Amino acid sequence: MAAGEAAAAGLLPAAAAAQAAWLVWVLPFAAALIMPAAGRAAPRAAGYAAIAFALASALLAASLLPGALSASEVHDQIGWIDAIGLKAGVLADPLAVIMANVVGWISFLIIIYSTGYMKGDRSLVRFWFWMMFFIGSMQLIVLSDNLLQLFFGWEGVGLASYALISFWYRDKKKDHVGREGRRALGLLDYYSPTHAGMKAFIMTKVGDVMMIAGMLLIFAFAGTFGFKELAGDTAWAADMAAAGLLVPAAVLLFGGAVGKSAQFPLNEWLLEAMTGPTAVSALIHAATMVKAGVFLVARLGPLFFALGAAGILADQFFEVVAWVGAVTALLLATQGMVNPEIKKVLAYSTGSQIGYMMMALGIAGLSDRFTDGYTAGFFHLMSHAMFKASLFMAAGSLLHAVGSRFMTDMGGLRRSMKKTYAFMWAAGLALMGAPFITTGFWSKDAIFAAVYESGNAWAAPIFAIAVLTAVITAFYTTRMIGMVFFGPKSAHVLRMESAGRLVREAPLSMWAPYGILAALTIGIGIIGFSVEGGMHHLFVEYLDHSFGIRDAEDHAVAASALPGPLAGLNPVALGASVAAFSVGIGLGYVFYVGRWADPARFVASSPVFYGIHKLLLNRWYLNAMVYWGFVVAPLWLARGVFRYFERTAIDYGMNAGLEKAVGWSARVVQGTQTGVAQSYLFVFGAGILFVALVLLV
C-alpha cells in the first residue's frame, strides 16, 4: 500500500487513517459475503451481523472526521491496472469524509429499523445481502479517488437497487404501487415490483451510458481517471476545449447524475421504486442511490469551476445543472400535492429536494462566490438525509399498523401512534423549512441566498421557482400529516378495529431510529446557522487547497439591515423562506388539519382546478409519454416488422419464393441428367459448335 499524500490530522496516524478509509467501504461488502453463512447458522444471526458491520463502518468513518474538519485529507493507492498506469485508491478529503459519515450513520439506523420492519420475512438473508452490498457500493462511490473505481460503485448501487426494488418478486397486489385500474393516456398507472425494478434499472442505465461516454472522452485526452491528477494538470482540458469536447463531456458525466438522482427527464423510475420494502426506500432516498448523483456533481463541480475561472470551460455546464435542478424541484413538488399514496408523496419530495441540491451546485458555478452555493447544496444534502430517512421509516410504521399505502385509508391516528405522530411532525417541519428551529430551514435559506446573490442572469427565474417549490413543499407535507393523523378514522381503520385489529405504535426497534433522526433535525436546527457557517469555513479551506478556488470579496448585501444573530442572513432570502413556509402550511392546515374546507369540493367546483388536479395526478402525463415513446411504440414497430417484413417478406417471400426457385432449378438440372452417354456427347458437341459459331461471327 502506497503512502498517503497527506496525513490526516487528529486522532489517527497516516497509516491508520488510510486503513480506516479502505475499511469503510470494504466492511459492508465483507458483510454481504458472509450473510448466507450467518443466515444458515441462526435465523437472527444475519441481522445482528448486518448491524455489527454497519456500525463498524460508521465508526471508522467517524474516526476520519477530526482530520477532515482540519481540512486535511488521506489519499492512499495500491496497484490496479498496470497497462494504463491506473491505481485503485481512496481519497478521504473533507467532502468525502462528511458524506461517508452521512451514509454510514443513517444506513446504520436504517439497518436497525429493518430488524423490526422485516421481521418474519422468509427472504431475510437475501435482504441483508443486498442492503450491505448497497451500503458498500455507496461508500465506494464516496471514497474512490478516480472515476473508473467510482463507476464500479455506481453500477453496484444500480444493481442493488434493482434487486431491492423488486425484492417481493412474486408480485402480490399488496406490493404494487398505484391504484389498480387507473390509466393515463390509455396506459395502466399500476406497477408490480418486478416491473418497477426493471424500470429503475433500465432508466438509470441511460444515464450510466452517458456517464461512461464522458469518462472515456476525458480519459482519451487526460490519460487518467484520477481526481487529483485531473485537477493537478489541466492541459487535457485545454485540448478538449479546443476540440469542442469539454462541455459535452461534462454534460455527459452529469447525465449519469441525472439518472441516479432521478432528475428530469430521467425521473420517472423513482415513484415505482416504492414497491420495495420501506427500509429500502429510506436507504435509496436518504443516504445512498439518489444522493450519488449529487455527490458526483459536488466532486466534479469544483474542478469544472476552476477550469471556467481559467477560461477553459464555459458556463453551459452549470446552467444545465441549475436548470435541471430547478425544473425537477417544481415538477415533482406539484405532483406530491395530489397523490394519495404516502410513500409516493415522499418519493416526489425526494426528487424535488434533490432538485434543490442540484440547483445550488449549478448556481454556485454561475456565481463569483462558488462556496456559497456549494455549501448550501451540500448542507441541504445532509439535512435532507436526516429528515427524509425519518419520514420514510415513520411511513413504514404506518403501513405496518394500517396495512395500506393509501393515506385515504388512514386518518385520526395521532392518538393511536403518538410517538410516530410527534416524530413525523418534527421531520415534516424540517422538510417544510420551519423557521429557525430545523435544519431544513437553514439549508433551504442558504440555497435561496446563494441563488439571489449570485448576480447571474438566470438568478431571478430560478429564485422564483425555488420559492414557489418551497410553498408547495410546505403544503403537501401538511396535507400528508393532516390526512394521516387528523380528522375522523377512515372506513378502512374502522373495519380493522371492528375485526379486533387495533392500530398500535411501532416497536422500539422501529420508532427509535426515526425518532433519533427527527430529534437531530430539531437539535441541529436550533444551532443550524452556526453549523452552516462552520461548513462554509471548512469548504473555503478545502476548495482553496484542492482547486485554488477563492471567492470574490463579500459583495454588498443588505444583510446589515438585520439585527444581532441574523446579521449574516440575506433579508430577501430570509423573508422568502418564512413567507413560503407560512403560506404553504397555512393552506395545508385549512384543507387537511383544521378541515375548514373540503378539497374535493374545491377541485370539483371549477373546471380549471379539476383539469390541473387531473394533470398533476397523471404525473403531467410524462410517465405515459415515456411508455408510449419508448415502450409501446417500439413494440408496435417491432411487431409490425415481424408481421409484415419477417413473416411476409422473409418467411413467405424470401424463404418460400427462394425455396421454390431453387427446387424448380434443381428439377431442370435433374432432367438433364439422363445417364445416357450419347446424350452427353450430343450436348457436348452442340456446345462446341455454338462456341465456334460465336467466335467466327
Side-chain angles (χ1 to χ4, degrees):
M1 184 177 291
E5 286 189 1
L11 298 179
L12 294 178
Q19 290 175 357
W22 283 98
L23 289 172
V24 167
W25 66 266
V26 169
L27 281 179
F29 282 126
L33 292 176
I34 69 168
M35 283 302 153
R40 281 194 295 269
R44 295 186 179 181
Y48 293 143
I51 292 174
F53 275 88
L55 177 60
S57 178
L59 288 171
L60 287 166
S63 72
L64 298 171
L65 272 174
L69 296 178
S70 65
S72 298
E73 68 180 32
V74 174
H75 185 206
D76 195 72
Q77 295 181 315
I78 58 174
W80 188 16
I81 307 176
D82 294 334
I84 58 175
L86 182 64
K87 295 181 178 180
V90 289
L91 178 58
D93 56 10
L95 175 71
V97 172
I98 294 173
M99 186 70 184
N101 276 275
V102 171
V103 173
W105 288 106
I106 291 181
S107 298
F108 168 64
L109 290 173
I110 293 172
I111 292 296
I112 293 176
Y113 171 86
S114 300
T115 60
Y117 186 85
M118 297 298 293
K119 185 177 181 180
D121 194 285
R122 62 180 180 179
S123 300
L124 271 178
V125 172
R126 178 163 56 91
F127 175 82
W128 292 124
F129 172 87
W130 285 114
M131 289 289 277
M132 298 310 296
F133 186 90
F134 211 148
I135 297 169
S137 297
M138 185 64 192
Q139 294 289 31
L140 177 58
I141 291 173
V142 172
L143 290 164
S144 290
D145 77 332
N146 65 84
L147 276 168
L148 185 60
Q149 185 178 320
L150 179 148
F151 193 72
F152 276 84
W154 196 267
E155 292 304 293
V157 297
L159 177 61
S161 69
Y162 164 73
L164 288 168
I165 290 169
S166 55
F167 180 78
W168 286 315
Y169 61 87
R170 297 180 186 276
D171 290 346
K172 296 179 180 178
K173 286 186 177 182
K174 68 180 182 65
D175 300 321
H176 285 50
V177 293
R179 193 178 292 278
E180 188 174 5
R182 251 199 114 258
R183 292 181 176 271
L185 295 183
L187 300 176
L188 275 175
D189 192 20
Y190 179 67
Y191 303 101
S192 67
T194 52
H195 182 104
M198 288 188 289
K199 182 177 182 179
F201 191 79
I202 292 170
M203 289 197 75
T204 55
K205 285 298 162 286
V206 175
D208 294 354
V209 170
M210 295 173 66
M211 180 179 172
I212 200 168
M215 288 168 48
L216 293 177
L217 271 175
I218 290 177
F219 182 79
F221 282 84
T224 181
F225 291 108
F227 298 127
K228 300 286 287 184
E229 292 81 359
L230 291 172
D233 181 3
T234 59
W236 61 272
D239 294 339
M240 288 190 74
L245 293 173
L246 185 56
V247 171
V251 173
L252 284 170
L253 284 170
F254 178 60
V258 168
K260 276 290 186 288
S261 291
Q263 298 295 280
F264 178 81
L266 299 178
N267 58 284
E268 292 301 331
W269 67 266
L270 192 65
L271 288 307
E272 279 66 69
M274 297 302 98
T275 56
T278 305
V280 173
S281 303
L283 193 66
I284 291 177
H285 288 253
T288 55
M289 184 165 169
V290 295
K291 296 292 171 57
V294 181
F295 179 79
L296 179 66
V297 177
R299 172 60 81 195
L300 296 176
L303 172 61
F304 291 143
F305 181 77
L307 294 177
I312 299 174
L313 180 68
D315 288 342
Q316 288 95 328
F317 168 73
F318 289 105
E319 289 176 352
V320 169
V321 174
W323 274 109
V324 165
V327 169
T328 307
L330 182 60
L331 182 72
L332 297 189
T334 57
Q335 296 174 61
M337 297 168 63
V338 298
N339 201 278
E341 296 178 59
I342 187 168
K343 286 177 66 176
K344 273 196 171 185
V345 171
L346 293 174
Y348 281 122
S349 173
T350 294
S352 178
Q353 295 303 302
I354 288 177
Y356 268 122
M357 300 168 208
M358 293 295 192
M359 182 196 307
L361 294 173
I363 210 69
L366 300 174
S367 169
D368 59 356
R369 294 183 54 79
F370 181 82
T371 311
D372 288 357
Y374 190 80
T375 304
F378 201 77
F379 186 30
H380 197 56
L381 181 152
M382 295 171 56
S383 173
H384 177 265
M386 289 188 292
F387 63 67
K388 187 52 63 68
S390 180
L391 285 168
F392 262 113
M393 288 189 280
S397 294
L398 292 168
L399 266 63
H400 260 237
V402 177
S404 172
R405 62 185 180 273
F406 293 99
M407 294 184 290
T408 49
D409 287 336
M410 301 178 191
L413 300 182
R414 65 185 186 277
R415 294 183 182 87
S416 305
M417 303 183 71
K418 294 180 181 179
K419 295 184 180 69
T420 299
Y421 169 67
F423 295 143
M424 282 199 80
W425 258 122
L429 286 171
L431 173 58
M432 289 186 272
F436 308 117
I437 61 168
T438 62
T439 57
F441 168 76
W442 297 110
S443 58
K444 202 171 292 186
D445 180 77
I447 293 174
F448 287 3
V451 173
Y452 184 78
E453 296 173 6
S454 67
N456 187 267
W458 296 115
I462 291 178
F463 182 78
I465 290 173
V467 174
L468 177 59
T469 302
V471 174
I472 296 172
T473 302
F475 173 79
Y476 69 64
T477 307
T478 309
R479 169 182 177 266
M480 175 183 68
I481 293 174
M483 290 182 71
V484 171
F485 294 107
F486 289 85
K489 294 179 180 179
S490 68
H492 174 78
V493 172
L494 292 175
R495 284 194 298 270
M496 285 178 55
E497 292 180 343
S498 64
R501 294 168 52 211
L502 299 179
V503 176
R504 292 187 176 88
E505 184 59 85
L508 177 65
S509 62
M510 290 175 65
W511 67 256
Y514 59 81
I516 290 170
L517 291 173
L520 283 174
T521 61
I522 302 297
I524 297 176
I526 293 172
I527 58 169
F529 189 41
S530 300
V531 173
E532 195 271 339
M535 283 189 61
H536 187 277
H537 177 72
L538 176 63
F539 282 135
V540 165
E541 294 187 17
Y542 161 65
L543 294 171
D544 185 14
H545 171 73
S546 299
F547 302 96
I549 296 175
R550 294 187 179 130
D551 287 346
E553 294 296 323
D554 289 347
H555 42 269
V557 185
S560 58
L562 293 172
L566 303 181
L569 298 177
N570 182 289
V572 175
L574 177 63
S577 298
V578 175
F581 169 78
S582 302
V583 172
I585 196 173
L587 290 172
Y589 194 94
V590 167
F591 287 110
Y592 296 101
V593 178
R595 310 282 174 123
W596 300 331
D598 185 354
R601 289 184 180 178
F602 183 77
V603 169
S605 65
S606 168
V608 174
F609 286 118
Y610 177 79
I612 294 173
H613 182 272
K614 186 176 180 180
L615 175 68
L616 300 182
L617 190 59
N618 288 326
R619 301 161 67 161
W620 291 79
Y621 296 102
L622 293 173
N623 185 63
M625 287 189 282
V626 166
Y627 274 88
W628 275 111
F630 296 99
V631 180
V632 178
L635 284 175
W636 175 84
L637 179 62
R639 292 188 185 109
V641 169
F642 173 74
R643 180 177 179 182
Y644 296 108
F645 181 73
E646 289 192 27
R647 294 187 64 184
T648 304
I650 302 297
D651 291 349
Y652 297 125
M654 294 291 293
N655 291 349
L658 184 61
E659 179 185 355
K660 290 178 180 178
V662 171
W664 178 82
S665 301
R667 287 192 295 273
V668 170
V669 173
Q670 185 182 18
T672 66
Q673 307 302 308
T674 64
V676 180
Q678 291 87 339
S679 299
Y680 297 154
L681 288 171
F682 174 77
V683 173
F684 180 68
I688 291 176
L689 179 61
F690 177 76
V691 172
L693 289 173
V694 170
L695 293 175
L696 288 174
V697 174

